[in-house]
Amino acid sequence: MYRFYDACGVLLYVGSAYDPDERCRAHGSSAWWSQAVRRVDEWHPTRGHAYRVEMAAIAAEDPKCNAMGTRSYRTPDTEGTRARKALASTRQRLIKESQEIETAARAERAAQGGSAGEVDRAGKEAAVEFLDATGLFVAAVKERRKRLATSG
């Protein structure tokens, strides 16, 4: 999660992303971007947790340039938002299933005598493969694969 402030310390924007640097480059075309002089990052254990904290921060801190999450914001009634709402319960079920698959893969690798690192990696790889196969978690799968690649 990140916050942008102007030169006077006024909170301009609160956001969250797997890769804040990449996401912040996308903010470069925003009207408020030229006012931003300081960014403060705050890390959370999961993307879901960061998103919940982000929404709470927007509601409580009232950043000058956020729209979504403010009291006056209303989600647009578009085909995309309707589709996301329709898939919400399916996505939650699939995330729960991925956690169960991760647990099972860890147990299987542990039973084969794998080291703690091998057990952890086997679980994470199994969960990523499952989520990738659904086609509903493109950004999350990309980020998890990137983390797996850098973890050795």
Side-chain angles (χ1 to χ4, degrees):
M1 193 176 104
Y2 52 89
R3 290 174 175 84
F4 277 102
Y5 297 88
D6 70 10
C8 297
V10 172
L11 179 61
L12 296 172
Y13 190 85
V14 175
S16 65
Y18 282 116
D19 185 342
D21 292 333
E22 182 179 316
R23 177 67 181 113
C24 291
R25 281 191 288 280
H27 287 308
S29 60
S30 300
W32 57 266
W33 184 252
S34 62
Q35 301 168 50
V37 298
R38 184 169 62 103
R39 181 179 106 193
V40 175
D41 293 340
E42 184 178 304
W43 294 96
H44 295 275
T46 66
R47 177 69 179 99
H49 184 262
Y51 181 74
R52 289 187 298 278
V53 172
E54 172 195 6
M55 290 293 105
I58 292 168
E61 300 169 35
D62 196 27
K64 183 177 174 183
C65 301
N66 279 85
M68 189 172 85
T70 61
R71 290 177 212 55
S72 62
Y73 180 77
R74 298 294 173 260
T75 302
D77 186 24
T78 65
E79 184 177 330
T81 57
R82 287 189 298 274
R84 280 190 297 281
K85 283 180 186 177
L87 287 172
S89 63
T90 300
R91 289 173 62 96
Q92 288 175 336
R93 180 180 51 79
L94 292 171
I95 288 170
K96 185 174 188 245
E97 286 180 34
S98 78
Q99 292 165 343
E100 293 166 357
I101 288 168
E102 181 172 349
T103 299
R106 286 173 184 262
E108 181 179 332
R109 187 65 185 109
Q112 296 169 348
S115 68
E118 291 169 335
V119 167
D120 183 56
R121 185 170 189 85
K124 289 177 179 175
E125 287 175 347
V128 167
E129 291 306 315
F130 173 79
L131 292 173
D132 189 29
T134 71
L136 295 174
F137 303 92
V138 176
V141 166
K142 178 182 174 185
E143 178 58 29
R144 289 179 185 197
R145 281 205 168 118
K146 187 166 85 174
R147 278 188 267 157
L148 279 169
T150 59
S151 69

